[in-house]
Amino acid sequence: MANSCRKLIFNIYVVFYCSAVIMPQICICSQFTSSPIDQFNKDPKAFPVATNGEIFPWHELRLPTVVIPLHYDLLIHPNLTSLDFVASEKIEVLVRDATQFIILHSKDLEILNASLQSEEDVRYKKPGENLTVLSYPAHQQIALLVPEKLRAHLRYSVAIDFQAKLADGFEGFYKSTYRTLGGETRTIAVTDFEPTEARMAFPCFDEPLFKANFSIKIRRESRHIALSNMPKVKTIELEGGLLEDHFETTVRMSTYLVAYIVCDFTSVSGTASSGVKVSIYASPDKWSQTHYALEASVKLLDFYENYFDIHYPLPKLDLVAIPDFASGAMENWGLITYRETSLLFDPKTSSTSDKLWVTKVIAHELAHQWFGNLVTMEWWNDIWLNEGFARYMELISLNITYPELQFDDSFSNTCFEVIKRDSLNSSHPISNEAKTATQIKEMFDAVSYNKGACILNMLKDFLSEETFRKGIIHYLKKFTYRNAKNDDLWHSLSNNCLEGDSTSGGFCYSDSRKTSNTLAFLRENVELKEMMATWTLQKGIPLVVVKREGRSLRLQQERFLSGVFKEDPEWGTLQERWYLWHIPVTYSTSSSQAIHRHILKLKTDTVDLSEKTDWVKFNVDSSGYYIVHYEGQGWDELITLLNQNHTLLRPKDRLGLIHDAFQLVSAGRLTLDKALDLTRYLQHETSIPALLKGLEYLELFYRMVERRNISDVTENLKHYLLQYFKPVIDTQSWLDEGSVWDRMLRSTVLKLACYLNHAPCIQKATELFSQWMESSGKLNIPADVLTIVYSVGAQTTAGWNYLLEQYELSLSGAEKNKILYALSTSKHQEKLMKLIELGMEGKVIKTQDLATLLFTTARNPKGQQLAWNFVKENWTHLLKKFELGSFPIRMIISGTTSHFSSKDELQEVKLFFESLKAQGSHLDIFQIILETISKNIKWLEKNLPTLRKWLLTSI
Ligand code: BES
Ligand code: ZN
């Protein structure tokens, strides 16, 4: 041991080196100031011990940058009967600095042997020099020790043979199964790597910065097909009848985007305008549900190629519906994988919101082919450059390709969703440090996705769509096949001049665009990088407080905190001085339709109005990421305006006012009765998104008091809702007709009416359910009311049992989701328990659907305690099914706790989280949940008496 240590000290050698010469973009400078040898002498324990007891020569989670991969040759042979795979790889690497070891990622792989060869280094010319392999599982790394130091600037080829079981969960190279119509269970093998699971399938440099080309070969039986990122070039028949598919070499890309599948799926294909072949794959019995996805993906691919002015660089694009999938979809280059419900559309059972979802997910993953695949963030701290952009592009692409889906009107909800989170102290900046695999997984959250998209949308509004588009095209072209960071984006957006543009203040203006003088003036005086740093490097959302004094508007910004009141002792500390944003505010007034603009950079500022005005409304179209509070008469003026003629404000402004008012209630800045008074105009509201927003808050309060058994308020609120929204409820047909929003309104309103036991609703749903049962499930019920009909049907034992039978038989994921939701609304706890057990067993109810099941069960007042107890008692089992930090685990934990609103519940959750921490599982979401529960408690304490009183005067 002592000897091997000493040997190692001399071998560890200037590995922390940063050369800007060979590949400047692959430059990860070390934070070490002293040499590794000094480090080792000072603290030998700092170096980890490999599984064989020897010292492992690397102690960082991030890989060294002395050896970089250029090309991978992969040969994979999965066996779908024995459920394992054998494989071999050759990685061509460039040594940038002399070294005696190569560090790679590898997780749960059995390395059979490793060898080294080089055409450029005479000492390694003859093939097959065997290497010592050390393994350090805590960092998921292996070290290949070479007998003689590799030389700088030479290329070497590392060959590794390895094998493993096909993984049990949803990550790495895993197995997935489905049942055929004939009742046979079939297995497929599929990969899912993002963020850090390529290392479960092959030893590799598994960090986004290490881009390389991949040549993949897959062995399979003739009953299967193999798919990978690139098209197949040829198939070779091997002895014993096995086939070996060879795929074209990929473009330069990160490891997390590599993908392959061995399955027996069938497909439909089409061709995009550019000639790219697009195919949708699904298990054979689901072929008929693939057509909508084909139409949408061809249309969206055409859109993106045109919008970005950059060709999709591969010859083909496959979209595959995978029967077992942990998240919604994954953007593997050329081989996008989807949960079945995110890709398949069944005209009979898919609702209008299902269609919107499928279209959005396709748009999202296609956007990643540029944002993410072509240009990748340098490190996971900036995952928003992938996910925020993909979410933003959902909006841009759907507006153009599917205007009839009216997605533009629901984008504000994308922002409202994340504001809930971002207004808690436990939020985090968009760009956030992430080191461990769990921390990296946690970065895939609403802040990266939604806040990322919302600040991009705000910036687009500020710069104009055309300037913004030019900027992002510039960014994509400049960083093609490379990696980028925040500043690269801001730089591209400020220096995006194309030929023919005139420049001013670092911005480009094309002649075609006439910008208002104020806007041009503002842009010229804004340092983009500085402005955007305030949105990406600090957490939270600003509150703009407006006070009108005659013709003068006094603006003040502060950090918006929900659940913390100004009179609370912690308020001051939470409003630290650095919470300042550069806010591009917009406003309109009663005296002009124009959009006025101003940049609020300081804590306080004043704006002078040119004319006298009756009211002023900030954040036009809700496109800015800030909340507005009106001091003095501001809110009263707006409430009066809404009541007198709400159409004087734009629909998205009405929507924003409802949102902001209720947020301000949570922050103790506006009284609940004032916010409720604001919703009174909704009787006349013609814009459905605004109407639904008001209804959403009222339903939220209803569910809160119902769960807490506050029966007088529950009854009165039910009465109020049914009375107040009677005209809307009673005019609904039970048909799939009207615009997307008409149909969304129908689903929401009828679902609420039936939930509140509204007799005509229950009667109609019962009638349809009986007819459906009598027809043995053959009757076509309109898809938008299907969930409602099933949920009412699930309230009898016969209905519930019948639904469970149909669940097993149904081939439509969309229908299965609706049935499962309905089953989870039962009032019988033994039925709810049975469902959870089926979910844990993973046969009738797939493990992939367990998280949603626990979430919906916990929403049911009769199931909330049951679901929560279940999670507490089965935590270790759950962690065997899903990785800590993964989306399902976060959904399970927050879905079963964040609706709590009592001190006892808070204490219980706290204790549970402490016990988890003691066992070594910590998640950032724990703090978010605790803050959310505290916020709920506070809300009830402060607002319950007001709600009670307001209802008494309103019904
Ligand atoms: N890149 C993600 C997939 C992913 C999610 C990888 C979490 C690692 C961790 C993909 O592009 C994505 O965002 N998928 C979404 C679907 C989206 C369109 C709603 C998802 O899975 O929720
Ligand atoms: Zn994504």
Side-chain angles (χ1 to χ4, degrees), residues 375-379 381-382 384-385 431 475 479 483-491:
V375 179
T376 314
M377 72 280 143
E378 279 190 2
W379 182 247
N381 64 324
D382 270 337
W384 85 278
L385 288 175
S431 272
Y475 165 82
F479 293 97
N483 300 74
K485 52 187 184 310
N486 258 356
D487 283 352
D488 296 326
L489 174 66
W490 310 138
H491 193 253

Side-chain angles (χ1 to χ4, degrees), residues 494-561:
S494 331
N495 298 281
N496 57 7
C497 304
L498 301 177
E499 230 171 282
D501 290 340
S502 52
T503 63
S504 171
F507 290 99
C508 295
Y509 305 105
S510 63
D511 293 338
S512 59
R513 178 155 174 102
K514 304 264 182 295
T515 49
S516 78
N517 286 340
T518 25
L519 184 53
F521 174 79
L522 286 175
R523 286 199 207 126
E524 282 168 33
N525 288 284
V526 160
E527 185 59 59
L528 202 66
K529 185 178 147 189
E530 204 188 320
M531 168 174 165
M532 294 318 286
T534 71
W535 299 98
T536 53
L537 305 181
Q538 66 182 349
K539 63 183 177 182
I541 172 164
L543 171 68
V544 175
V545 182
V546 182
K547 189 159 190 200
R548 190 152 65 92
E549 286 154 353
R551 279 200 197 166
S552 181
L553 295 173
R554 206 176 65 88
L555 306 182
Q556 190 179 332
Q557 64 162 303
E558 62 187 57
R559 178 184 178 195
F560 178 75
L561 285 163

Side-chain angles (χ1 to χ4, degrees), residues 331 364-365 368 387 390 449:
E331 68 265 25
H364 179 106
E365 304 309 335
H368 273 314
E387 299 301 348
Y449 279 72

Side-chain angles (χ1 to χ4, degrees), residues 769 772-773 775-777 797-807:
F769 188 76
W772 178 68
M773 256 175 89
S775 74
S776 308
T797 298
W800 196 88
N801 289 337
Y802 185 71
L803 279 165
L804 187 56
E805 278 169 33
Q806 292 298 309
Y807 181 82

Side-chain angles (χ1 to χ4, degrees), residues 638-655:
L638 289 164
I639 292 172
T640 311
L641 169 68
L642 287 174
N643 283 318
Q644 283 173 354
N645 185 359
H646 66 271
T647 59
L648 289 177
L649 286 172
R650 302 157 175 246
K652 283 186 199 158
D653 282 335
R654 277 129 58 188
L655 174 70

